[in-house]
Every structure is written in structure tokens, then in C-alpha cells.
Amino acid sequence: MLVFTVALGVVYPLVVLGIGQLALPAQANGSTVTHNGAVLGSALIAQPFTSADGAPLATYFQPRPSAAGDGYDGGASTGSNYGPENTDLISAIEGRKAAIADFEQVDPATIPADALTASASGLDPHISEAYAMLQVPRVARERSLPESTVEDMVKSVLQQRDLGFLGEPSVNVLQLNLDLDATEG
Amino acid sequence: MEIFFGILQFLLLALILVVLYRPLGDYMARIYTATTHLRVERLFYRLTGVAEDTEQSWRAYLRSVLWFSAMGVLLVYVLQRFQSVLPYSLGLPAVPEGLAFNTAVSFVTNTNWQSYSPELTLGYTVQLAGLAVQNFVSAAVGIAVAVALIRGFARKGSGTIGNFWVDLTRGTLRLLLPVALVSAVVLLAGGVIQNLNGFTEVTTLSGGTQTLPGGPVASQEAIKLLGTNGGGFFNTNSSHPFENPTAWTSFFQVVLMLMIPFSLPRTFGRMVGDKKQGYAIAAVMATFYVASLLILSGLELAGNGTATALAGGAMEGKEQRFGILGSTLFGTTSTLTSTGAVNSMHDSYTALGGMLPMLNMMLGEVAPGGVGSGLYGMLVLAIIAVFVAGLLVGRTPEYLGKKINPREIKLASLYILVVPVLILGGTALSFAIPALAESVTGTSIWNPGNHGLSEVLYAFTSAANNNGSAFAGLTANTPWLNTALGVAMLLGRFIPIALVLALAGSLAAQEKIPETAGTLRTHKPLFVGLLVGVTLIVTALTYFPVLTLGPLAEGLL
């Protein structure tokens, strides 16, 4: 058992560590995003775009709801684990629907499912194309940009299905918001 | 459109598995029949004092399995209890006794049930030197036992079934380690992390703060799936973007889970000298897999249930990049193998959809099942099927030239009884004894009503079948559940292994009887159909009454 522990528990992970750090350092260290020299997060981990009191910032695209810690806590990933008939989940979805309809000034019936439901990890960095497009008018208005400009930015960060058919098309919220900030320079 | 892409996804998976079937199955057959040892293996044998050219009887083989596993439990337990003084423990304290016992048993039995939240409980040393090592060797033990059973069919008048230490070492060094190493690098390229950074605090774009985790994840991830282990480095397992960053890494993880279990029938066919027998077993496995995947995908796409309908789709507890069909593919694979990894939260599936992962495990994880355990489980069911066929036509049952005598049938029957007793007994005790029921309903259950029963039923199903997935809302870190699930995992792993090895011993000792005109052709579609039917009846039907109280009541009323 000790021999296996050394070979599999020490040598093997260190070899992978070596390969990762030497050949693929960006990925191995968490695909971090830097801005003006400071690390401001990971392209793979959703982060909140809220003011200090927790209200969503109207100038940014908003990610999916999160059940991780107080929201988007990278130290405590979790989903809500609510069952489909759980009354807490039903009222949470109703609440989100009303809040988003109000925030985006849209018909509640047009809000896509990913905007109303907490992700599995609580750290899902992506939203659907539909949810991104829903947010375009509000962000454009708040930033005094033409809607078409913001729409083009969504399209430029939209990731299509892997290999053309795996998974779902998705929009990376952090990447999109960074692009927005860069436009205003 | 979504369905069309889902079909393409399935076809690519089927193509990859079909392409791998022969070379991987043949390679595994060579590993376990080779007469020469590699130099590094000889070094292992010298260091551990193994006499590599001595064969073992089934009793000696079993003693070695139990001894090795007991050492594993002890080591993982001790590492957790001394976590505070180990390097790279991230300042985390020693793991409490009950939880440490549960976790040690969980990883040694290839279950990887996690009563704890890893980010908050375990440092890097325990994860690597404790858990990752068991990910390898528990998988190698499973394959070794399956190979021992195959030898039972292949040998004539033999008192031995191989050498456990040689099978263990070869499975680890010639199969699991090289594939895991390559896979870890592939996952790294996809964005899975591998560092020793601990937690870092960053200032986000909008000026808030966020904690980002680090860790040697890629090395752990590869063997977690390849060895059908399933214990995540992070709480949310393969839905965490650092464990599973993209749709294609998720698909790759599905391939890793399935490649060994689906190729082992080839190894079986080759070692018993009749490759068609392997195809028949693989066909039974594939039938269940396809049926289960179709049903779950249909249910989740339909999205029934109050909350699901309100949200407009079953996206609660699912990740955008995988979508519904990337989630159901992973969920089906994970519960039909003994992996138990998740890339979506099964607790939040639609009521009937959530029943599917449970049913998959209740089938006994034989389609294709865990590495090794899936094949030996299916072969036991094949013995039952042959016996049923023998009863129907009034002939002495035989399988692969071996008579199925009362002793073999007794062993096989005991095998299929162990797990239902653990599942139904454990669930019943949790509600029947007032003190336990108080803890279960007061502390453990997260969702009220029928769904709460499903959470407990799922937990015992997962533990006894050594799966490890969960309706994760359940708080299992309580004295009762840590203990009961720990015991269920131990008994659910080692009683079946003991019975399988006994079966291997008694089969190996028999002479082969020649095939006659009346011999049941066990490689024909008729037998495949019979085996599918027997599997459904002796496993899934056992659980029908309790399923009506949980998911069926929730979904249909």
C-alpha cells in the first residue's frame, strides 16, 4: 500500500503538475483573467456584478442565479438541490421572474429558463444567447451605446457548440462585460 | 434541433466505444494472461514481498483482497485524522471520526460517496495520498475480481484462480496509470486546473471580492472517471467549471467512464475462447444503456413539474454549457457505471427523471457497471438466466461448458439478494426507529414530502451499489447516516466480491462438459433477450413498491 501511495499519490500528480505548469500554465492555474496587471477572476468562474448592497448593476450583463455561499462563492460551490415540487424553489423562481421582468422591462413570459434557475455548481460562467439578448437593450441604454453595437459584442463572444454539436451555445458573462468596459476605454 | 444534436452526440459516443472495444478488450486480456513481468512490476514485487509466480486458491485470493482493502481503509482514515499536521492541508483541521470512517470506506469500496464538502474539509495531501490512490487501486481490485471470475469459466479442474497481487499491480501500472496520465493532460488542455495554489482572494471587475479555489484537480479527475470512482475534488463534482470546463471535456469524461466497462466483455470473450460470448454480454449492457438514456432525456426535455414548468425548462441544477442533453448523457453514464460523478444536480431533476438514476443503480450497475464490478455482476445474472432457461426446458443448466450446480446457484442468488437487503433495510430503519427518524427528517432531509423519501432511498441505493452519486440536498454528515451508509458500502462491496470469488473457485475446479445439441446458445439474441428480462425482473422489480412512495408519487400525483 505504501508503494502504491508513493507512485500514485505523489509521483503521478507531480508529473501532471509539472506538465501542467510547464506546458499549459494558463489552464493549470485556473484560466485567470487579468486587467491592468491585477487578477480579477477566472474566465471559468462566474462572478457577481452587483453593488455593495447586492443590487444588480445595470451597466453589466448579469450571470445566472447562484446557490454557492452568498452567491458565486468559489470557496463553496453548490447547487440549490431543490426538488421540482419544492415550494421554496417555486417562490424563488416567481421572485426572480418578477425581478428580471422589472429590471429588464420585459414580458415575464419571454425570460429563458437559465435566467430563472440556479446552476449546478453555483459558478456557471455562462448564460444562454437568449438571456444575453434579453439584457442587450438595458445595457445599451445604461451605457449610451447603440443596441446594435452591444448585440455585436454578444455575438462575438458567443461560443457555439463544441465540435458543432456538443453542449449548448453559451455566452461568457465576464468576457462580455470586459469587452464592454474596453469599448468605453 | 436540440434533439438532433443529442443524437449526434450519442452516435459519436457509440462510434468511439465500438472502435475501442476490440483493441482495449484484447489489451486487457493480454495484461491478465501475460506470463512475463515488467521490470517495474518486479521492483514492486520485491518491495512488497510478493511471490509473483505463485497462484492463489479463491480463499487466498479473497483474503488478499480483504487484507489490502483493510489497509486502505486504515491509511485513509489515519491521514484524515492527522490532517492538521500534514503539508498542504490549507489550514483545515482533522476530519471528525464518523466522517473519516465514512470517507475512508467510501473511497476504498470504489463508491466515493461524499458526506462532506471537499473544499471545506480536505487538504491536498489527503486528496492525493489518500483518496487518489484509492481511486486507482479500488478500480484495479474490481477488475481483478472480474478477471478471477473469468478464469473460473476458462479453466478446467484448477484449484487456483490467479494471483491477486499480480492482477492488482498489472491493472494499475499497465492499464489505469498510463490512460489516466494521458487523460489528465487532455483535461488540462481543456481548462481543468492542476496547481497547489490554495484559495486566492481576487477583486472582481465590479469591485467586489471573490475566492478562487486551486488544487491538483486534473490528475484526480482523470482517474475519478476512468476508475468509475466519482469522488469530486470540489463539492459540485463534474459540474464545477474547474473540474469540467467545457462541453467537450464533459463528453470526454463520459468516454472515460465507459471505455473500460464496455470493453471488458471483449476481455471476457477472449479469455474464455469465444468472442461471441463477449458480444452477447455487451449487447445486453448496451440495450439498457440506450433505453435508460432515451427515457431520462425525454423526461428532462419534457420538463414536467411545477417549478420546472414555471421556469420554462429543466435547468435548475444544470450548467448552461452542457445543456439538458449533455447533462442527461453524463447522469445516465454515471449511474449505470458505478461512478456517481455528476455534472448536474440529480436532486433537482424532474420527479420521474430523478427516478432514472436511481433505477440505473438498482439494476445493480451492470450496464455496463463499474470497472470489473459491472462485468462480474452481469455474469452472475447470466448464471441466473441460464438457470431460468434450464428450468423452462427441464435440462441441467450450463454456461460456457460449466454446470450450474446447486452451489453455483446458491452463490448467485445470495449475490443478488445482498444489495436489496441493504437498500430497503437501511431506508426502512431510517424511518422506522423513532430516534433515527428524528435525525433523518429533522436534519438530513432537505426537500419535504415524497422527495425527502427519495433522497434517503437514493442515498442507500447509491451506497449499497457503490455508486456515490446523491440527491445532494440530503445532509448525510450525521452519526446515523455516516455509520449506516458506511456499513452499506462495506457490505455492498465485499460480500458480493466474496461470493464472486467463491463462484470463481467452484467453476475453476469443474471440468468442461462438451457442448451438445441441447446446449443453450448463450451468444444468440434469444439469450440476450432472456438476460435483459431476468435482469429487469430480479433487480428493478424488487424496488417497485418503494419507488411508488418516492418519485412515482411525486411525479404522478
Side-chain angles (χ1 to χ4, degrees):
Chain A
M1 184 57 85
L2 287 176
V3 181
F4 279 117
T5 302
V6 172
L8 308 171
V10 181
V11 177
Y12 160 69
L14 287 181
V15 167
V16 179
L17 183 71
I19 295 172
Q21 293 296 333
L22 293 175
L24 302 157
Q27 288 96 325
N29 289 313
S31 309
T32 49
V33 177
T34 48
H35 189 60
N36 299 333
V39 176
L40 53 78
S42 162
L44 296 175
I45 305 285
Q47 53 178 253
F49 290 92
T50 51
S51 60
D53 61 0
L57 292 169
T59 49
Y60 285 114
F61 280 87
Q62 294 295 320
R64 295 182 62 189
S66 165
D70 298 326
Y72 315 99
D73 182 350
S77 66
T78 185
S80 76
N81 284 312
Y82 284 132
E85 304 299 331
N86 191 310
T87 46
D88 291 345
L89 175 61
I90 293 166
S91 54
I93 291 176
E94 277 166 349
R96 288 170 192 151
K97 211 171 205 176
I100 293 173
D102 182 50
F103 188 58
E104 311 287 355
Q105 295 169 20
V106 292
D107 174 4
T110 61
I111 303 171
D114 64 300
L116 300 170
T117 50
S119 61
S121 62
L123 305 171
D124 189 344
H126 298 110
I127 54 177
S128 66
E129 187 180 7
Y131 188 33
M133 285 305 177
L134 187 86
Q135 300 188 55
V136 165
R138 184 248 311 159
V139 172
R141 189 172 63 242
E142 291 291 328
R143 294 201 173 228
S144 312
L145 289 169
E147 278 189 25
S148 61
T149 310
V150 181
E151 225 173 275
D152 288 344
M153 295 172 92
V154 170
K155 283 185 184 136
S156 78
V157 299
L158 176 70
Q159 291 161 325
Q160 291 300 340
R161 291 180 170 89
D162 285 346
L163 306 179
F165 60 90
L166 294 175
E168 290 293 316
S170 37
V171 175
N172 188 303
V173 178
L174 176 58
Q175 192 56 53
L176 180 56
N177 283 335
L178 275 169
D179 289 359
L180 269 176
D181 278 4
T183 321
E184 293 191 78
Chain B
M1 207 55 186
E2 196 175 6
I3 294 174
F4 171 70
F5 289 122
I7 293 171
L8 281 182
Q9 165 186 263
F10 171 75
L11 290 179
L12 179 65
L13 176 65
L15 178 71
I16 291 173
L17 292 174
V18 167
V19 168
L20 283 175
Y21 182 77
R22 281 200 199 184
L24 183 58
D26 289 348
Y27 175 63
M28 289 191 286
R30 277 203 301 280
I31 290 177
Y32 293 100
T33 50
T35 48
T36 52
H37 306 281
L38 301 180
R39 196 173 297 164
V40 56
E41 289 167 354
R42 285 191 192 282
L43 176 70
F44 265 61
Y45 301 142
R46 291 297 77 78
L47 287 170
T48 50
V50 167
E52 68 267 31
D53 292 316
T54 326
E55 288 253 323
Q56 293 174 308
S57 68
W58 77 265
R59 285 195 174 83
Y61 202 101
L62 175 61
R63 270 197 302 276
S64 302
V65 170
L66 295 178
W67 170 246
F68 181 74
S69 302
M71 286 297 104
V73 173
L74 188 67
L75 180 70
V76 178
Y77 181 82
V78 169
L79 279 171
Q80 293 178 83
R81 298 291 293 146
F82 287 96
Q83 168 155 271
S84 54
V85 295
L86 294 173
Y88 286 106
S89 63
L90 310 178
L92 292 163
V95 181
E97 288 162 11
L99 181 57
F101 161 75
N102 184 284
T103 305
V105 166
S106 173
F107 279 76
V108 170
T109 56
N110 198 259
T111 312
N112 301 36
W113 171 268
Q114 294 169 297
S115 279
Y116 57 94
S117 173
E119 300 81 323
L120 309 176
T121 318
L122 296 181
Y124 298 160
T125 306
V126 175
Q127 293 255 24
L128 293 178
L131 306 188
V133 175
Q134 294 306 323
N135 279 354
F136 278 99
V137 295
S138 68
V141 167
I143 306 177
V145 172
V147 167
L149 180 60
I150 297 174
R151 291 194 187 113
F153 284 109
R155 292 182 177 184
K156 289 172 275 203
S158 164
T160 60
I161 55 168
N163 180 316
F164 169 71
W165 304 105
V166 171
D167 292 342
L168 171 75
T169 309
R170 286 183 181 179
T172 306
L173 296 182
R174 296 193 197 185
L175 177 64
L176 298 172
L177 188 55
V179 181
L181 187 60
V182 174
S183 308
V185 176
V186 172
L187 289 171
L188 259 171
V192 180
I193 60 173
Q194 180 82 4
N195 59 55
L196 300 172
N197 294 349
F199 293 100
T200 16
E201 194 84 1
V202 298
T203 304
T204 63
L205 184 58
S206 60
T209 56
Q210 189 180 34
T211 307
L212 290 181
V217 180
S219 57
Q220 194 111 330
E221 200 68 15
I223 188 61
K224 164 186 126 182
L225 299 152
L226 181 67
T228 61
N229 294 284
F233 195 91
F234 298 113
N235 188 38
T236 52
N237 212 297
S238 280
S239 74
H240 196 295
F242 279 168
E243 283 199 26
N244 197 359
T246 61
W248 74 257
T249 54
S250 190
F251 181 80
F252 180 66
Q253 296 192 356
V254 168
V255 173
L256 283 181
M257 286 190 261
L258 292 174
M259 58 190 275
I260 293 179
F262 258 126
S263 298
L264 273 172
R266 171 73 177 191
T267 311
F268 162 70
R270 189 154 268 276
M271 287 177 72
V272 298
D274 184 355
K275 286 170 237 161
K276 287 180 191 150
Q277 303 290 346
Y279 288 119
I281 296 290
V284 176
M285 292 174 167
T287 305
F288 280 111
Y289 184 88
V290 173
S292 177
L293 177 64
L294 280 177
I295 298 171
L296 178 61
S297 301
L299 287 169
E300 290 301 295
L301 282 178
N304 291 320
T306 315
T308 321
L310 187 64
M315 283 302 286
E316 182 72 27
K318 295 196 180 69
E319 299 277 295
Q320 173 63 31
R321 61 193 180 283
F322 307 142
I324 288 178
L325 294 179
S327 302
T328 54
L329 180 74
F330 198 102
T332 299
T333 302
S334 173
T335 49
L336 274 173
T337 61
S338 81
T339 314
V342 295
N343 80 348
S344 55
M345 294 299 131
H346 296 179
D347 213 347
S348 297
Y349 278 16
T350 58
L352 294 179
M355 186 173 73
L356 259 288
M358 235 186 289
L359 264 178
N360 289 344
M361 294 186 282
M362 287 167 175
L363 277 177
E365 293 176 348
V366 290
V371 287
S373 59
L375 180 65
Y376 65 66
M378 187 54 94
L379 291 177
V380 168
L381 287 165
I383 288 174
I384 304 275
V386 167
F387 174 70
V388 170
L391 288 181
L392 291 175
V393 297
R395 281 181 54 92
T396 312
E398 57 192 76
Y399 186 45
L400 306 172
K402 300 284 182 162
K403 274 205 188 106
I404 306 304
N405 294 316
R407 178 177 160 79
E408 282 80 28
I409 271 298
K410 276 182 204 153
L411 292 168
S413 308
L414 282 173
Y415 179 100
I416 56 173
L417 284 174
V418 173
V419 169
V421 168
L422 292 171
I423 295 175
L424 299 175
T427 309
L429 283 179
S430 300
F431 292 101
I433 297 180
L436 301 180
E438 200 174 307
S439 153
V440 167
T441 50
T443 310
S444 295
I445 286 178
W446 172 243
N447 286 290
N450 302 105
H451 202 87
L453 172 70
S454 301
E455 287 180 349
V456 177
L457 177 64
Y458 195 109
F460 278 97
T461 306
S462 175
N465 278 299
N466 298 142
N467 184 274
S469 66
F471 270 14
L474 185 78
T475 301
N477 191 9
T478 62
W480 161 245
L481 285 181
N482 271 336
T483 312
L485 295 174
V487 170
M489 288 188 269
L490 272 179
L491 299 180
R493 173 78 166 176
F494 293 109
I495 294 179
I497 282 184
L499 295 167
V500 165
L501 289 175
L503 198 54
S506 92
L507 290 170
Q510 283 188 34
E511 294 299 333
K512 285 229 176 201
I513 47 174
E515 215 172 273
T516 65
T519 305
L520 178 66
R521 302 279 184 262
T522 51
H523 59 272
K524 296 282 187 192
L526 179 66
F527 182 73
V528 171
L530 180 69
L531 185 46
V532 168
V534 164
T535 304
L536 265 182
I537 290 166
V538 301
T539 57
L541 274 192
T542 315
Y543 302 100
F544 183 71
V546 70
L547 288 173
T548 58
L549 297 175
L552 284 173
E554 188 187 11
L556 299 177
L557 294 182

